[in-house]
Amino acid sequence: MTIVVALAWLVVFVVAFAADRADDGTHGRGATSSAAPAPAPESTRESLPEPTETGPAVLAFGKTHTYEDGVKVTVSEPLPYRPDRFAAGYEKGDTAVRVTVTIVNGSKKVIDVTTALPDASDAEGAAAGAIFDGSRATGMFRGKVLPGKQTKGGFAFSLPAGADGEMQVELAPQLMEYEPVIWTGPVKHTG
């Protein structure tokens, strides 16, 4: 099953890359874009340590990371997800969750979010499989985001049965341009 999920990610990435190369760069096809939102009030939870020279920033789910150029990324708290009967990447008994990733382009340049692919794992470091189903469990980012605009994408993951209730998600809004950031926190079991 892991091979099927890995192949699905590869196909999605190749298709998105090919579509992006054909794009004229003036809009974010397939992305939900809008004007940048007003800043949200600070959560009562403290954020985790800031980045060091040897590691990425680590934040609690729901917190926003702001890059030096003004690009902001937020990964929501994981919510329980019920995969449909056609789901790939999910096995009965696993814990299925879905996060929403919001990327706000606060910079003065267009950013390509096609490569913004989150990588998730449980508290023990075991990879969480991406879930693909007919209900759009996972919706990949496509295209570009103009300055002052934002895009959102949903990503569903399957945590192995017996995972201890925590997960982490690592993401960069554009590979090779931005350092990845890690979001971490508890997960409610649904299995």
Side-chain angles (χ1 to χ4, degrees), residues 48 61 78 95 97 120-126 128 159-160 162-169 183-189:
L48 298 168
F61 286 119
T95 297
V97 295
S121 59
D122 68 14
E124 302 300 318
L159 296 167
D164 70 358
E166 281 190 33
M167 74 178 288
Q168 73 177 35
V169 174
W183 284 263
T184 188
V187 173
K188 295 177 183 170
H189 288 277

Side-chain angles (χ1 to χ4, degrees), residues 75-189:
V75 176
S76 72
E77 292 186 21
L79 297 175
Y81 181 77
R82 182 175 298 222
D84 68 23
R85 62 186 177 152
F86 303 108
Y90 173 79
E91 300 209 12
K92 189 172 183 172
D94 287 356
T95 297
V97 295
R98 189 168 190 265
V99 296
T100 300
V101 177
T102 304
I103 301 173
V104 177
N105 186 357
S107 75
K108 296 180 180 179
K109 63 182 180 180
V110 174
I111 60 169
D112 184 344
V113 294
T114 306
T115 59
L117 302 172
D119 185 30
S121 59
D122 68 14
E124 302 300 318
I131 300 173
F132 295 92
D133 65 13
S135 301
R136 298 182 183 222
T138 295
M140 311 301 289
F141 288 114
R142 293 181 57 193
K144 298 173 176 62
V145 181
L146 298 172
K149 301 291 184 178
Q150 72 173 357
T151 187
K152 291 185 180 188
F155 298 86
F157 297 100
S158 179
L159 296 167
D164 70 358
E166 281 190 33
M167 74 178 288
Q168 73 177 35
V169 174
E170 185 172 349
L171 175 78
Q174 183 177 352
L175 287 182
M176 308 302 285
E177 293 291 324
Y178 295 92
E179 290 295 319
V181 176
I182 296 173
W183 284 263
T184 188
V187 173
K188 295 177 183 170
H189 288 277

Side-chain angles (χ1 to χ4, degrees), residues 23-59:
D23 187 13
D24 66 2
T26 59
H27 62 286
R29 294 183 330 266
T32 304
S33 298
S34 63
E42 280 297 314
S43 171
T44 56
R45 284 194 290 182
E46 290 185 30
S47 61
L48 298 168
E50 284 300 313
T52 66
E53 290 183 22
T54 59
V58 180
L59 301 172

